[in-house]
Amino acid sequence: MKKELFISDKCSHCQNLMKKEKENPKYSNDKDVEIINITESMANLIRFLAYRDKLDGYKNAKENGKVGVPSMVIDEEKVEFIGEY
């Protein structure tokens, strides 16, 4: 199962998640999870936006003017939000 955890180091919710992750690794220790910082590179942002534009799981976030991170895309089709977004 492929899991992509999208975060941004500019997002306070993501910063809180990653602080907790450092204290008690959950995602970092899962070999199936790739953590992607969307503000680290244009390639990462484009990768995230491709999912955000096509997956229904991001519809509510977009309608409410939210970016949609932190979120996890599972097998390139399912979206799960981690905490607040």
Side-chain angles (χ1 to χ4, degrees):
M1 179 180 304
K2 179 180 178 180
K3 300 176 187 175
E4 298 161 280
L5 175 57
F6 290 98
I7 62 157
S8 168
D9 58 4
K10 311 292 187 239
C11 164
S12 61
H13 301 297
C14 297
Q15 290 170 357
N16 290 337
L17 172 68
M18 296 315 293
K19 181 180 176 184
K20 290 176 187 174
E21 180 69 12
K22 283 183 182 178
E23 295 168 0
N24 186 18
K26 176 180 177 181
Y27 304 108
S28 303
N29 289 341
D30 186 337
K31 65 180 176 63
D32 294 327
V33 176
E34 180 181 3
I35 300 173
I36 302 149
N37 181 352
I38 66 170
T39 48
E40 182 178 68
S41 71
M42 188 60 77
N44 288 353
L45 179 59
I46 290 168
R47 184 173 172 183
F48 170 70
L49 291 175
Y51 286 132
R52 190 173 179 268
D53 289 347
K54 76 175 184 178
L55 296 179
D56 287 336
Y58 286 107
K59 183 179 179 183
N60 190 44
K62 291 190 298 185
E63 288 175 351
N64 289 299
K66 305 282 186 171
V67 174
V69 293
S71 61
M72 185 175 300
V73 175
I74 302 168
D75 290 331
E76 299 181 354
E77 55 188 44
K78 182 180 177 192
V79 178
E80 289 183 4
F81 291 98
I82 313 298
E84 295 183 56
Y85 65 93

